[in-house]
Amino acid sequence: MGLTIGVIGLIVHDVQKIFAGNIEHGVISTLGSLLILWVLIELINTEISHLKGGKFYISVFIGVALVTVIRATMIATFKHEKPPLV
């Protein structure tokens, strides 16, 4: 819960950057923060399901890994850097 609240605060901070005039950096940061929030929500939902006796699905972790790679590639592309080797 604390991580989710922290990421929501980060999103609000990033949106404030957009309105302060730093549009490019604000948009990139906001998209990155939204992807982090999505990953956290997926992991929390999976953990809750597992604690309730549900099956353990590896596909969730594959999805989380894909989102993480997409986020890293997106940020590296917009910053005009070479993407990190994963």
Side-chain angles (χ1 to χ4, degrees):
M1 290 276 283
L3 286 174
T4 304
I5 293 170
V7 171
I8 290 172
L10 182 62
I11 291 171
V12 170
H13 182 264
D14 292 338
V15 170
Q16 288 175 348
K17 286 182 186 177
I18 293 172
F19 292 117
N22 194 356
I23 295 174
E24 294 173 356
H25 186 266
V27 169
I28 293 169
S29 297
T30 303
L31 289 174
S33 299
L34 286 173
L35 288 172
I36 290 172
L37 182 62
W38 182 28
V39 166
L40 287 173
I41 290 171
E42 287 295 322
L43 289 174
I44 289 170
N45 285 337
T46 301
E47 184 65 25
I48 290 171
S49 173
H50 183 66
L51 289 174
K52 287 183 177 180
K55 293 182 179 179
F56 182 79
Y57 294 106
I58 194 73
S59 62
V60 172
F61 293 98
I62 293 171
V64 166
L66 286 173
V67 169
T68 305
V69 169
I70 289 169
R71 179 182 178 274
T73 304
M74 179 189 72
I75 290 173
T77 301
F78 286 126
K79 287 184 178 180
H80 303 294
E81 297 175 352
K82 291 183 180 180
L85 298 174
V86 180

